[in-house]
Amino acid sequence: MLAMAARRTWVPPAIAGIAAVALGLGAAELVAALIAPAAGPLLVIGAAAIDLAPSWAKDAAIALFGTADKAALLVGIGVVLLLAAGAAGVLEARRPPIGRLIFAAGAILGVAAALTRAGASPFDAVPSAVAAIVAAIALGVLLRRIPRAASARRLAPAPPLAPGARLEPAAQRASGADPAAARSGEPSRRTFLTWAGGSALIGALAGAGGLLLESGARAVTAVREAIRLPAPAAPAPPVPAGAELDVEGISPLITPNRSFYRIDTALQVPRVDPADWSLRIHGMVDREVRLTWDELLALPLEESRTTLMCVSNPVGGSLIGTALWLGYPIRELLDRAGPQPDADMVLSRSIDGFTAGSPLEVLLESDRNAILAVGMNGQPLPEEHGFPVRMVVPGLYGYVSATKWVVELEVTRFDTASAYWTDRGWSARGPVKLGSRIDVVQGGVGAMTAAGVAWHQHTGISGVEVQVDGGPWREAELAEALSIDTWVQWRYDFAPPAGEHELAVRAIGLDGEVQTAEVADVVPDGATGHHTVRVTAA
Ligand SMILES: Nc1nc2c(c(=O)[nH]1)N[C@H]1C(S)=C(S)[C@@H](COP(=O)(O)O)O[C@H]1N2
Ligand SMILES: [Mo]
């Protein structure tokens, strides 16, 4: 092998290419497992190969390999990758940067394949890019460690050998067996093979780890997709026709799952298999309660439409959305546990360690749809919105109530326990503030329409007013409210002269509160002030 490598100068660079690609793909697979489990390079390449293969090839593969066709595909991909990686190594050694260009081309194909798959996210581009960058760097490092003897001939073609000349001295020098070579700092063949083998091994380990993690994530995705949620025992009433205004650009009354805002501290979305999920209610209770997924689904589930909002939503911001939730009232479960009289807080805990502190009395209110939710807009919760179980509490900001991937409710006290964001400077209590937003202003001189939403969860909205150019506040048209827990759409028609105009909006609560003009930052307990926009009538 060693002597062969000395004579065949393409062998070490080919080994370098293969080792570099192994390291790159391994790193990419690990990165994919962490941020984009559907975009691991092997999976993406395999899927693209299946999509792109002509149907006769697919038929032939199935005829030839039967149910092992996927395995055969992977072996085929492996062989092609091996050849391409070896070729890239050889080309990079002879005509740089052709090898690295081959890696770049592979990355472009990988990114394209990842991004054009159904439901792709921008993150899906990362693993392929990581693969190419790591492979390119590793290839450079490895090529530099190829012993001179093996690379000498590519730099300067060796003179023709004199008849009868022997190769021994060169082979010996390059093998690293020559102590003089080792002393001179010249890379030895053993050093090179150690580096190449080490890269390939690390790549294989990272790749195996990544694939294992990804398969866990994909298994949960498959479990979620197979779930059929039970029909609600208490369905939400149908949406009345008057609840939705016909204005282009207004927030839809119900926010689709795919455009629902997402806020959490999770670098990697926790993957929780419902079969492993349980909720533990403990702390200041008469008896601890445990609830499994099957037990939860067997309970009479209720539907409710609740607007969820983040305390970090600035005036006019988009961290707010409304969904049809399916779940079970938390108060029923707390009643089973029997909270002690001096408790005043429920500290909910996510499987990833996040905590939220909600007032116990709010969760116990009989007319508050504070629920353990399993469904969102007719689907099992999306993984990034807390699958399989989260909390939803109308009237409280998300950070003090809406724990996703919830696994624990600890009944405790505000003066002894504190939650994730409370420890970071945010208020311990987070009731949602009365608010409104201008979504769109359209039209032109003499006929403009402004429209948007207003909310005060669990209080309700009685009116919305709009002010043009600092003039008097005028009443906007209000759509029918779905409930006091849901935002309400509004529209306002006006007839501006040509030029620039300033519009402001304010909401009025069912309790008579008028939305304050006083400007407050989001920290520590939510922004205030009127949403104001400038428009030009032309
Ligand atoms: N486990 C967990 N749950 C969480 C959070 C979090 O960081 N981790 N963020 C909370 C915050 S601040 C908000 S506003 C809501 C957002 O829910 P959504 O991402 O489904 O819109 O989730 C809450 N639940
Ligand atoms: Mo939030």
Side-chain angles (χ1 to χ4, degrees):
M1 168 69 199
L2 297 183
M4 208 176 79
R7 255 171 276 129
R8 300 190 183 159
T9 55
W10 56 268
V11 172
I15 291 175
I18 291 168
V21 166
L23 187 64
L25 287 180
E29 218 61 60
L30 202 58
V31 167
L34 297 179
I35 65 168
L42 290 181
L43 187 79
V44 164
I45 297 167
I50 291 174
D51 292 348
L52 294 177
S55 57
W56 61 260
K58 279 182 235 184
D59 296 345
I62 292 170
L64 216 57
F65 303 109
T67 50
D69 61 335
K70 298 281 188 307
L73 174 78
L74 286 177
V75 170
I77 289 174
V79 170
V80 171
L81 272 179
L82 218 63
L83 291 176
V90 173
L91 287 167
E92 181 70 17
R94 303 207 169 151
R95 301 239 188 297
I98 294 187
R100 277 173 288 162
L101 287 179
I102 291 177
F103 291 168
I108 290 170
L109 287 180
V111 167
L115 291 185
T116 49
R117 295 186 65 70
S121 95
F123 284 115
D124 293 349
V126 177
S128 292
V130 165
I133 292 167
V134 170
I137 293 172
L139 182 59
V141 170
L142 291 174
L143 286 181
R144 256 177 274 123
R145 280 175 173 67
I146 293 178
R148 231 1 108 67
S151 53
R153 287 208 214 154
R154 84 183 149 81
L155 298 173
L161 287 176
R166 299 170 63 201
L167 272 168
E168 252 88 59
Q172 201 181 44
R173 192 169 70 239
S175 75
D178 180 354
R183 249 178 282 123
S184 72
E186 178 67 17
S188 70
R189 176 161 295 129
R190 187 172 305 150
T191 317
F192 168 68
L193 288 177
T194 305
W195 276 77
S199 305
L201 185 69
I202 294 172
L205 289 177
L211 286 174
L212 211 71
L213 286 173
E214 283 168 50
S215 69
R218 280 201 296 273
V220 169
T221 304
V223 166
R224 178 183 174 276
E225 275 161 11
I227 287 175
R228 295 286 163 268
L229 292 175
V239 175
E244 231 164 338
L245 299 177
D246 183 20
V247 181
E248 205 177 309
I250 197 170
S251 303
L253 189 56
I254 300 295
T255 316
N257 288 355
R258 77 190 124 70
S259 44
F260 207 97
Y261 82 94
R262 173 187 166 200
I263 294 284
D264 53 61
T265 57
L267 201 55
Q268 186 195 7
V269 173
R271 312 284 169 174
V272 185
D273 187 332
D276 301 331
W277 179 88
S278 74
L279 179 79
R280 178 171 164 243
I281 306 176
H282 66 110
M284 299 171 66
V285 293
D286 293 340
R287 58 213 151 259
E288 215 175 287
V289 167
R290 237 177 214 289
L291 187 76
T292 66
W293 170 252
D294 287 338
E295 288 165 348
L296 175 56
L297 287 202
L299 294 169
L301 302 183
E302 301 177 3
E303 274 183 336
S304 47
R305 295 190 184 90
T306 293
T307 298
L308 187 64
M309 178 165 169
C310 184
V311 68
S312 297
N313 195 35
V315 171
S318 58
L319 302 180
I320 181 169
T322 301
L324 171 68
W325 306 98
L326 176 69
Y328 188 69
I330 294 170
R331 78 177 162 273
E332 302 281 351
L333 299 172
L334 288 172
D335 281 346
R336 285 192 200 178
Q340 287 161 10
D342 46 346
D344 64 0
M345 180 216 240
V346 173
L347 189 70
S348 49
R349 186 171 280 113
S350 158
I351 195 153
D352 68 358
F354 170 90
T355 50
S358 318
L360 174 64
E361 87 261 9
V362 168
L363 299 187
L364 289 176
E365 278 170 28
S366 61
D367 69 340
R368 176 105 48 168
N369 285 315
I371 57 167
L372 270 188
V374 296
M376 181 175 182
N377 291 331
Q379 310 255 311
L381 290 178
E383 286 167 55
E384 63 274 24
H385 291 291
F387 179 76
V389 184
R390 75 173 304 169
M391 286 173 57
V392 175
V393 183
L396 300 181
Y397 286 124
Y399 83 109
V400 289
S401 70
T403 304
K404 305 192 270 190
W405 315 288
V406 65
V407 290
E408 215 182 287
L409 302 183
E410 181 185 349
V411 178
T412 179
R413 294 181 52 84
F414 274 96
D415 59 13
T416 55
S418 74
Y420 186 90
W421 286 113
T422 316
D423 294 337
R424 289 160 176 80
W426 296 77
S427 165
R429 312 240 175 193
V432 168
K433 295 177 180 176
L434 173 63
S436 55
R437 182 177 73 193
I438 302 170
D439 289 336
V440 63
V441 185
Q442 51 174 249
V445 175
M448 284 191 118
T449 299
V453 283
W455 58 87
H456 199 187
Q457 291 90 307
H458 213 65
T459 299
I461 294 294
S462 68
V464 167
E465 293 176 340
V466 174
Q467 183 188 50
V468 181
D469 297 327
W473 288 96
R474 303 258 189 231
E475 204 175 324
E477 176 193 336
L478 206 59
E480 196 174 325
L482 287 179
S483 77
I484 56 170
D485 297 332
T486 317
W487 62 12
V488 186
Q489 292 185 340
W490 60 266
R491 72 176 278 165
Y492 181 70
D493 299 321
F494 60 111
E500 195 167 281
H501 301 282
E502 189 179 83
L503 260 76
V505 65
R506 70 180 185 190
I508 298 153
L510 270 178
D511 58 355
E513 180 187 347
V514 177
Q515 186 185 337
T516 179
E518 201 172 311
V519 174
D521 187 25
V522 292
V523 185
D525 61 0
T528 62
H530 296 154
H531 187 209
T532 303
V533 300
R534 301 192 71 84
V535 294
T536 304

